[in-house]
Amino acid sequence: MPARYLNRVGEYCAEMLERLGLRTAADVLFFFPRDYEDLTEMRSVEELEEGVLQTVCGTVEEVELRGIGPGRSVLGVLVRDREGGYIRAVWFNMPYMKDKLSHGRRVAISGKPKFKGLVWEVSHPIVVTLAEEEAEPTGEIRPVYSLTEGIKQWEMRRIVAETVASHGPLLDEVFPPEHLQRHDLWPIGQALAEIHRPSNWETQKKARRRFVYQELFILQLALAVRRARQNKFSDAPMLEVSAKVDARIRRLFPFELTVGQRESIEQIANDMAKDSPMNRLLQGDVGSGKTVVAVYAMLAAVANGHQAVMMAPTEVLARQHGKTLRRLLENSHVRMAELTGGLSAARRSEMLKAIGDGRIDVVVGTQAIIQDDVNFSKLGLVVIDEQHKFGVRQRATLRRAGSDPHYLVMTATPIPRTVTMTLFGDLDVSTLRDSPPGRQEVKTYLAGEERRQRWWDFFAKKLREGRQGYVVTPLVDEVGVTSVNEAYETLVNGPLESFRVGLIHGRMRTDEKDAIMDEFSSGKLQVLVCTSVVEVGVDVSNATLMTIESAQRFGLSQLHQFRGRISRGRYPGFCTAFADASNELAQKRLEAFASTTDGFELAELDFQLRGPGELFGTRQHGLPPLYIADLLRDTRELEEAREDAAALIESDPALSNPQHARLRRMVLKRYGRVLDLGDVG
Ligand code: ADP
Ligand code: MG
């Protein structure tokens, strides 16, 4: 029913509601409070107790704002309650509060008061101003809704309350009764009433839990349906790894595989042996050995007479993968093609033809080139090196004949578990937690200017011992931020003047960059001053030193990626981050960075500092935002919902059981289009 026909909602109000996206009664019902006001302990001044959260209603009698130094002030507001008792509210350095609290205004102030000899005082209380027509609150928890201009909080409360009363009871339950019981979830009507008007904090929690679970359950169902569909409608080649093939592949690696690599390989081999395509995410820190796992999978495809392709996001990285593969495949009969930008037209078309004819087994290149140009004859496996991009994806579309290939996506950014379960919910996940043996620790220091001289002395000493190093700076010129050119000038005319120093940044031409990179990897250059271009694709094992300038400007995962560049060889690494962390969040980020080198731990910390919204902005993944669930808080509900959704889809893959009709409608309505679920069943 359109919102306009709701009780006491006129044309005008309906327009305001529309601006909030509330078009129907159901929209209003599910417009959950963004916050609550705790007015449960209503007291008169006479009844106040020291140190307990309480609320007093009254009228503002006196407002006094005093300056007590430059930029410092005290605001004192005297409030008189109905029985004539006084309480003083005090704010330090918040002069603007004055505007809310003019003389004669009716307010409810909540806080923990103290008795100051003559009068009760409460500092920095929460203030609710009461509209003239509004009754005094009576011991309640009040919802706070998001608003738009033209509609007031009390009006919104009234509209929602009336809609809940009139339409709440008409709502159908989503879950079968035994499902509710098993998961200790409240029925929808009860939960709805309590989430808008909680009787107490316990009931608010239970009501919220019900809707959090529901939201996550619908999402997980959608993801499960998508997986089930992919399996049903595609047929992939069954690529089996016999013991003989396994031995032949392993012989190519000059080292023992780590436990994590062995486990991942086993999972991948299991997937590829099935006739439904693998959709697997392989995550692990920089240097954890992902490429080796991917190479194993590619060779397994080749051993089964199929082609494999590895796609990188950039040229530099594509070339590096090419180099790695060439080295590993030296002693095999595998025929490989590298499709990079520098090829002549003739050579390129020759390669494309060979790939189309099946004379090439393994192809490496950038995603762009491969997706645009290449026709495969018998593609069995696609490896995508994603680096920093996240999320439920549209599958890369490749030109190929025959069946669907298996997919393996690699990411070097460890992803918090709750996020892999949602944004990556359509992928299976393999994780490399351990790094190959002999990997050296990197010591990380946070430093201010006073440490600069000592650090450069140390840096120079290590260079003389034969090591190499990076100096990472932000690119832009801004007041107070060392730009890369400036840093370079300062260093070559100062602390590093007796060393061979190169400069590289993202605004240089590709061939210039490549030339500099080559000089650095061959050791001709000892120091590389660079911007974040160094983040990807650089692997120089003799480089053990890193200076990060203006470190407050980089994100946590970026800092971690930088540092990954100096833990690649047999010498210990040293990283110093110079930072001007006047901002608390930046300071916390830097402290986290210095506190651990474990990428998974850092990912969790980053997640907590920034919150899921920012870190994995769902919009960029095409998933609609979550309305009530919070991936940081609601991990238990997420796990539960995921398990339950999987079990349900197992028993009813297309949700065609009439008992599940409502769930099915909800899944389609919310996720049908973005997840391309088509007409399920
Ligand atoms: P990633 O792709 O995760 O960054 P790589 O696969 O490129 O990591 O491996 C990083 C380095 O470690 C490479 O030089 C690789 O040869 C080496 N390496 C990989 N696996 C092992 C292993 N099991 N034992 C020893 N060295 C390994
Ligand atoms: Mg790699």
Side-chain angles (χ1 to χ4, degrees), residues 255-258 261 284-292 321 327 410 432 436-437 439 539 568:
F255 39 67
E256 288 288 307
L257 297 174
T258 64
Q261 284 172 326
D285 236 329
V286 178
S288 58
K290 295 181 295 298
T291 312
V292 167
H321 283 321
R327 213 170 45 212
M410 299 195 285
L432 298 179
R439 199 49 50 88
D539 190 356
R568 317 213 114 214

Side-chain angles (χ1 to χ4, degrees), residues 56-63 77-81 96-109 127-134 136 152:
V56 173
C57 277
T59 311
V60 174
E61 291 245 320
E62 234 179 77
V63 181
V77 172
L78 202 61
V79 172
R80 181 180 189 273
D81 77 2
Y96 46 86
M97 284 299 292
K98 189 166 177 276
D99 304 336
K100 241 179 132 175
L101 294 160
S102 53
H103 189 268
R105 186 60 73 79
R106 288 176 67 221
V107 291
I109 53 177
V127 178
V128 177
T129 51
L130 302 172
E132 256 170 63
E133 52 277 68
E134 200 173 354
E136 266 185 23
K152 297 212 174 61

Side-chain angles (χ1 to χ4, degrees), residues 284-287 290 317 385-390 411-415 442 470 472 532-538 546 548 554-568 575 593 597 599 602-603:
D285 236 329
V286 178
K290 295 181 295 298
L317 214 58
D385 190 356
E386 282 239 312
Q387 295 297 321
H388 300 299
K389 282 192 248 115
F390 303 100
T411 173
T413 307
I415 302 160
V442 178
Y470 301 95
V472 184
S532 54
V533 288
V534 76
E535 202 175 331
V536 282
V538 184
M546 179 166 283
I548 304 176
F554 296 108
L556 194 45
S557 68
Q558 218 178 359
L559 290 168
H560 181 61
Q561 295 284 331
F562 294 155
R563 180 170 56 186
R565 297 298 145 200
I566 57 166
S567 58
R568 317 213 114 214
C575 173
F593 173 58
T597 52
L602 283 174

Side-chain angles (χ1 to χ4, degrees), residues 25 99 118 122 130 178 222 264 287 358 468 475 490 597:
D99 304 336
L118 283 172
V122 54
L130 302 172
E178 61 285 359
S264 301
Q468 289 166 279
L475 177 65
T490 314
T597 52

Side-chain angles (χ1 to χ4, degrees), residues 162-178:
E162 289 186 358
T163 312
V164 169
S166 59
H167 289 72
L170 307 178
L171 276 183
D172 289 333
E173 180 53 74
V174 176
F175 299 106
E178 61 285 359

Side-chain angles (χ1 to χ4, degrees), residues 19 103 152 156 165 196 211 262 277 316 444 462 498 584:
R19 277 200 218 161
H103 189 268
K152 297 212 174 61
M156 193 68 190
H196 287 291
F211 291 112
R262 282 202 301 264
V316 180
T444 306
K462 288 287 167 190
S498 47
E584 194 189 327

